[in-house]
Amino acid sequence: MKKYISIATLSVALLLSGCTKLDQEFYSSVTPDTFFKSEKDIKAALFRPFTHAKWYMGEDRWRLQEYTADNFAITTKGRHWYNGGENERYHYHRWTADDNWIWGSWRGTLMGVALALDTKSDLSKLDYGKFALSDERKAADLAQLDALIAYFYLRGLDYFGGMPIFESLDQESLPRNSDQELFAHIEKLLKAAIENLPAKKAGDKEEGAIRKAAAAAMLAQLYFNAEAYIGKAMYAESQKLAQDIVNKVYGDYSLDTKWNGVHGFKNNESPEIIWSMPSEFKMLEYNWFYADFYHYNTKQFFAQDMGGNNGAHLTPSKKPNGSSYDVDFKLGSPFETFDQGDLRKAPYVYHGSDQYEGMFIVGPHKTPSGEAILGGEEYKDKPLNFVDQVGRFSEVGPGKKYSSIDQLPSKMSEGEENTGIRLVKVPIPNLANNTLRWGADMPIIRLAEVYYMLAECDFRLGNKEKAAELFNTVRKRNFANAADPNPVTSANMDKYRILDEWSIEFLGEGRRRTDLIRWKAFTTEKWWDHNPSTSAHLNRFPVPNQAIAGNSNLAQNPGY
């Protein structure tokens, strides 16, 4: 567990309202001079937009990154999860400007900017000396807000391209700035923030604040994907920043020695975390994914009291007849992408006292005491068995729809309640240890990502040997005695091996779409039940029709 930062709660109405102008009245009868009474008030205001960021980093933003890509799907399971075709539209790249995930992400991006600008306006007017706080502290607080604004805009650039650039709260109905202008604005904010943010010292715990290395890593991310954003490759610039972070120029970080050190209940103590969002039971919980992923009876597996909705799972590695998809396409099949012996590939088991192993729910579903967990739909009152396949196996047999498994189709409409392997990236304790529930913080940036950015930059710039060494430096912790059976080498490293490495290390961390786009694979490659559109405009989402209805100055993205 960790010390919980003080964050003012935002109203649901504020988080869910539209955003066509940024001059909302957050305080109607107070000014900064009268509102702030202590340093505690300053901290509460400073971290208020971080509350919105916590919401923003999950849910629909995660869904846009993962359900449109090759590693995850929400299949229709009998009478469940068709959702008016929503899940299929994203999987098949047929979304529209009226889809809710897209509208929520456009709105959420600009709301985050608005909240950070509002706080920045208040704190910039405040005399920190009245609270015995230095000018350096004030500059650092304002730099955090600049970096947070840059984060929201960086995600917006990734999803939509150019967005309206707001720099004050009194602007409204602005047109979209160009991709290049938004890129330059993000770059300017991050460069300025780096100068004034504090650097992490050895032993410091993460409590949600943005430090110098986090801003530097965001700038490296901006350059890393610059070719997709503005049509200009900037791998050398990203490489320089990544190398400096590894060399501790921006603070003291090191790779965790354990694969789950960055994901476990005490991950705020991990030396690898560069920026994370605090989480704690009954407070700012990192819990949104539970309902999407887990069967409603999986609470028996966890020995918990939380019911799931049984929606999402990994895309299958195997056809209904058990043969592999590896001869059909080179992307997806995430479970089989993990090597045998990888400690992460083991089934999830909670051992108590914050100790656990593995990160998948796969195979026969059982309680901690070994009793079979029963289904309630296709396998009502029968033992559940989660398979790395998609197909209506319950409809095979004499007198049924299919006479043999070989006849089974495998596609988005053909799921069952036991379809697909489930990811447990965030550990779940049992009720006996319920104080640990949601005790794992949400990693946003970690040093392993910096290593992988550096490795890919080195590969692209011609240094395959160094790239392989960097990948393997991270990989080795995932095997007993660091005995990696399949290390990256100059000979086996290509586009697909590198995409596999990103998939394995960052499975379920909300980045897959961006990686595929950087490798020009998002609209050109095939994966399970997905044929390439070859339509490059789909690398960006449309500007939502609701946004255009509220601001007629907004231009739609090409192709929509």
Side-chain angles (χ1 to χ4, degrees), residues 452-471:
Y452 276 32
M453 283 197 291
L454 182 55
E456 186 176 317
C457 288
D458 283 330
F459 172 84
R460 290 177 180 271
L461 295 171
N463 193 343
K464 288 188 175 182
E465 290 77 12
K466 184 184 175 188
E469 179 184 350
L470 288 162
F471 281 126

Side-chain angles (χ1 to χ4, degrees), residues 234-297:
M234 299 184 71
Y235 294 107
E237 291 85 345
S238 182
Q239 178 193 50
K240 173 64 167 60
L241 281 161
Q243 187 66 65
D244 284 346
I245 295 170
V246 169
N247 292 344
K248 304 182 186 294
V249 171
Y250 297 106
D252 197 311
Y253 301 89
S254 57
L255 291 172
D256 206 300
T257 58
K258 298 180 179 179
W259 75 263
N260 58 0
V262 292
H263 305 294
F265 298 102
K266 297 180 180 178
N267 63 343
N268 64 308
E269 300 176 5
S270 172
E272 183 173 321
I273 297 292
I274 293 177
W275 182 28
S276 62
M277 189 58 63
S279 177
E280 194 166 355
F281 187 36
K282 295 185 178 180
M283 293 188 182
L284 194 66
E285 296 181 341
Y286 174 25
N287 64 355
W288 65 267
F289 56 88
Y290 188 97
D292 271 13
F293 271 107
Y294 304 134
H295 191 279
Y296 40 85
N297 288 339

Side-chain angles (χ1 to χ4, degrees), residues 366-527:
K366 297 183 178 182
T367 67
S369 60
E371 299 172 355
I373 298 172
L374 307 182
E377 296 289 331
E378 293 88 357
Y379 299 97
K380 183 174 175 59
D381 299 328
K382 298 179 181 179
L384 282 173
N385 181 55
F386 288 103
V387 296
D388 195 12
Q389 296 158 292
V390 174
R392 299 283 296 174
F393 293 92
S394 61
E395 297 181 352
V396 176
K400 295 186 178 181
K401 186 174 181 179
Y402 304 103
S403 60
S404 72
I405 287 176
D406 286 333
Q407 294 178 340
L408 281 179
S410 185
K411 55 185 180 178
M412 286 288 290
S413 61
E414 301 299 309
E416 297 182 315
E417 64 178 313
N418 69 334
T419 289
I421 294 173
R422 315 303 168 92
L423 177 67
V424 191
K425 199 71 175 269
V426 181
I428 308 293
N430 57 29
L431 278 173
N433 293 150
N434 217 30
T435 55
L436 293 175
R437 190 197 293 189
W438 314 127
D441 291 349
M442 179 194 300
I444 305 167
I445 303 172
R446 52 192 181 92
L447 190 62
E449 178 186 359
V450 177
Y451 267 74
Y452 276 32
M453 283 197 291
L454 182 55
E456 186 176 317
C457 288
D458 283 330
F459 172 84
R460 290 177 180 271
L461 295 171
N463 193 343
K464 288 188 175 182
E465 290 77 12
K466 184 184 175 188
E469 179 184 350
L470 288 162
F471 281 126
N472 292 329
T473 298
V474 179
R475 278 182 59 92
K476 65 183 181 182
R477 69 181 175 192
N478 301 307
F479 302 92
N481 303 314
D484 185 348
N486 183 28
V488 181
T489 67
S490 297
N492 66 24
M493 187 168 27
D494 60 8
K495 165 184 175 177
Y496 298 104
R497 178 64 192 257
I498 291 174
L499 279 171
D500 280 351
E501 293 306 318
W502 280 108
S503 173
I504 293 166
E505 179 64 29
F506 296 94
L507 183 67
E509 294 189 43
R511 63 170 299 124
R512 187 59 173 172
R513 167 186 159 275
T514 300
D515 290 332
L516 293 179
I517 290 173
R518 189 178 60 257
W519 279 100
K520 298 180 175 60
F522 188 62
T523 62
T524 63
E525 294 276 353
K526 182 179 180 180
W527 53 84

Side-chain angles (χ1 to χ4, degrees), residues 18 41 45 67 155 178 216 229 265 308 314 322 332 352 405 411 504 523:
D41 294 333
Y67 296 143
R155 299 312 312 146
S178 69
Y229 296 157
F265 298 102
L314 273 63
I405 287 176
K411 55 185 180 178
I504 293 166
T523 62

